[in-house]
């Protein structure tokens, strides 16, 4: 069996390969990357590296030759129309090269989203169904990293976190937990034609965030709702389902996911 991962040089892809190396032998893993010069660490660990550019269909045929399981990590292009074309190139090559199982990193609780990326992820899932290849949709929650744009360090300095009014709830997770769950799916059998909502099992709120900030800072940080706040993130958050939860990720990992307080430490710089 050979398992190929696209976008392998990226943050999620490299974490998945790290976890996969704990579960299968290195010679079963193929890292598909756009920049092969950046992939020496994989080679040093015995992982085969293949050139793979979603914009160059001929590179994809070569990258997927002999592959049993292919994980398509969604493209990071900013234009969702281009992303769809890139994903379609991958699907065409997967079909041509007779890949046996196609897995895709989609987005959690897609149905209620009304932003362009939600349409892109749903369109890609439907396009995957047209290939007839057994599939697994790995619907990833929003990365907890989004807290990086909320001004956590300023909030600690001011003793107050300002947020846009609303009953916000977040099912976010860290990439490292997603990588554990996805590596489990890639290395096990029995996940064909399944959809997993890889979210936190319980949502957290901005009250939980200020509590965690207070504990980490060793001083009180209160929450203030401010309707005049200027932050693009609320436009995005308001149009995606960040509150629905599932136990799929913890079940796949077999352990609790990283708690909020631990997750936000990398974004605090004191
Ligand atoms: N759930 C969320 O909150 C969330 C947030 C942001 C993004 N995402 C999605 O999740 C994906 C994985 O996240 P990540 O953190 O690992 O992102 P990342 O670190 O930006 O990695 C994306 C990877 O995709 C590769 N890539 C981009 N264009 C490509 C192309 N034309 N052909 C082949 N490979 C290409 C990049 O290659 P290079 O290394 O050569 O640049 C990179 O390795 C993203 O690409 C995005 O679709 C999810």
């Amino acid at each position: 069996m050979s398992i190929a991962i696209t976008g392998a040089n990226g943050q999620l892809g490299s974490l998945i390969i790290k976890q996969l190396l704990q579960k299968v032998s290195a010679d079963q893993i193929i890292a598909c990357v756009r920049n092969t010069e950046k992939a020496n660490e994989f080679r040093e660990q015995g992982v085969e590296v293949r050139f793979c550019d979603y914009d160059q269909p001929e590179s994809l045929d070569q990258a997927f030759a002999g592959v049993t399981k292919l994980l398509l990590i969604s493209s990071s292009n900013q234009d969702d129309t281009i992303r769809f074309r890139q994903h379609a190139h991958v699907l065409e090559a997967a079909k041509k090269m007779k890949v046996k199982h196609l897995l895709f990193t989609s987005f959690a609780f897609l149905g209620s989203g009304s932003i362009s990326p939600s349409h892109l992820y749903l369109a890609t899932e439907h396009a995957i169904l047209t290939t007839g290849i057994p599939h697994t949709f790995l619907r990833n929650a929003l990365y907890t990293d989004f807290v990086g744009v909320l001004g956590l360090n300023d909030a600690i300095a001011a003793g107050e976190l300002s947020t846009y009014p609303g009953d916000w709830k977040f099912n976010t997770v860290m990439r490292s937990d997603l990588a554990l769950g996805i590596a489990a799916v890639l290395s096990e059998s029995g996940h064909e034609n399944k959809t997993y909502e890889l979210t936190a099992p319980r949502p957290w709120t901005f009250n939980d965030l200020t509590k965690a900030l207070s504990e980490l800072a060793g001083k009180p940080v209160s929450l203030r709702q401010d309707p005049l706040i200027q932050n693009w993130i609320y436009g995005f958050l308001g149009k995606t389902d960040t509150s629905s939860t599932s136990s799929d990720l913890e079940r796949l990992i077999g352990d609790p996911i990283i708690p909020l307080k631990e997750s936000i430490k990398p974004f605090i710089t004191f």
Side-chain angles (χ1 to χ4, degrees), residues 7 9-13 34 52-55 73-76 83 86 107 121 141-143 175:
N9 276 339
Q11 298 171 82
L12 181 63
R34 189 161 55 159
C52 157
D53 185 338
Y54 303 149
D55 292 316
I73 291 191
S74 53
S75 165
S76 51
R83 281 169 102 192
Q86 293 175 327
F107 198 79
Y121 285 112
L142 182 67
Y143 303 149
R175 285 183 189 80

Side-chain angles (χ1 to χ4, degrees), residues 229-244:
I229 201 164
Q230 299 284 327
N231 191 335
W232 64 270
I233 192 78
Y234 292 102
F236 173 85
L237 295 173
K239 291 183 185 151
T240 49
D241 180 349
T242 60
S243 62
S244 296

Side-chain angles (χ1 to χ4, degrees), residues 71-106:
L71 172 64
L72 165 58
I73 291 191
S74 53
S75 165
S76 51
N77 195 291
Q78 297 299 306
D79 182 321
D80 289 315
T81 312
I82 294 174
R83 281 169 102 192
F84 183 71
R85 187 181 65 212
Q86 293 175 327
H87 292 174
H89 285 158
V90 171
L91 307 191
E92 282 178 336
K95 194 171 170 183
K96 189 168 161 192
M97 301 316 291
K98 302 196 176 345
V99 165
K100 304 282 182 294
H101 184 180
L102 183 53
L103 303 96
F104 171 58
T105 60
S106 187

Side-chain angles (χ1 to χ4, degrees), residues 150-162 213 219 221 267 269:
L150 297 177
L152 300 188
N153 293 299
D154 291 345
I156 289 172
E160 185 177 80
L161 176 71
S162 296
L213 281 178
K219 61 182 266 207
V221 179
F267 306 97
T269 55

